[in-house]
Amino acid sequence: MSPGLHQFQPFTTETNMAKAAGITGTFRITHMDQWDQEFVDAEMPGFIRFDSRRVGEFHFGYVHGHMGVEQTERNGKPAVEWTWHGNNEMDEANGRGWAVLQDDGTLKGELFFHQGDSSGFTAISEFKGSAKSGRKV
């Protein structure tokens, strides 16, 4: 191999399976940096959901969004990144976000509004066992 060239190494089946499994399930939003819990739960308990079809949904306060989700890793931990579109009260809204599944099963991340606010958040698995990761434990 020539110096400076990287040898191509295809993903193994195990790597593909882990990435495909990713983070799935419904998580209850328990904290947001920019808004208090009363606002987060104003219309219904705040949540964020990811499914295996690379889509998801979230709702907090008067904000509701549908997501296109990509499974990834951050610092060796299962993670998701997404773009979203939806509404903030009655106005159209969109943005992006990311989250990382922590060792204790909580989800920590940040949600961004296009050219607007952003907020870190913490969420817990809504149903015990619904938060899944392709990572071997």
Side-chain angles (χ1 to χ4, degrees):
M1 185 163 96
S2 301
L5 294 179
H6 294 84
Q7 182 178 359
F8 174 74
Q9 294 183 4
F11 288 114
T12 64
T13 302
E14 185 176 302
T15 302
N16 284 339
M17 288 172 51
K19 189 170 182 178
I23 297 171
T24 59
T26 301
F27 295 80
R28 169 93 166 79
I29 300 172
T30 58
H31 171 80
M32 292 191 85
D33 295 344
Q34 297 298 320
W35 299 284
D36 64 26
Q37 199 64 37
E38 186 175 336
F39 175 78
V40 170
D41 298 335
E43 287 189 323
M44 66 177 56
F47 73 91
I48 188 163
R49 179 185 58 78
F50 306 97
D51 74 20
S52 60
R53 297 171 302 165
R54 296 176 44 175
V55 296
E57 175 182 24
F58 66 86
H59 191 109
F60 67 89
Y62 304 102
V63 181
H64 183 233
H66 296 276
M67 304 180 294
V69 178
E70 291 294 327
Q71 300 287 340
T72 188
E73 283 188 358
R74 286 189 178 205
N75 298 321
K77 294 181 180 180
V80 286
E81 297 176 351
W82 64 86
T83 58
W84 66 272
H85 71 279
N87 60 60
N88 180 3
E89 296 191 40
M90 298 304 286
D91 297 325
E92 187 174 323
N94 60 68
R96 62 186 175 87
W98 61 267
V100 177
L101 189 62
Q102 304 299 303
D103 292 335
D104 65 1
T106 60
L107 196 65
K108 293 188 183 246
E110 190 156 1
L111 180 84
F112 301 85
F113 287 81
H114 181 66
Q115 297 183 331
D117 292 330
S118 68
S119 180
F121 70 89
T122 302
I124 59 171
S125 177
E126 188 170 279
F127 303 102
K128 191 167 180 81
S130 72
K132 298 177 185 165
S133 149
R135 183 176 64 172
K136 290 185 177 182
V137 180

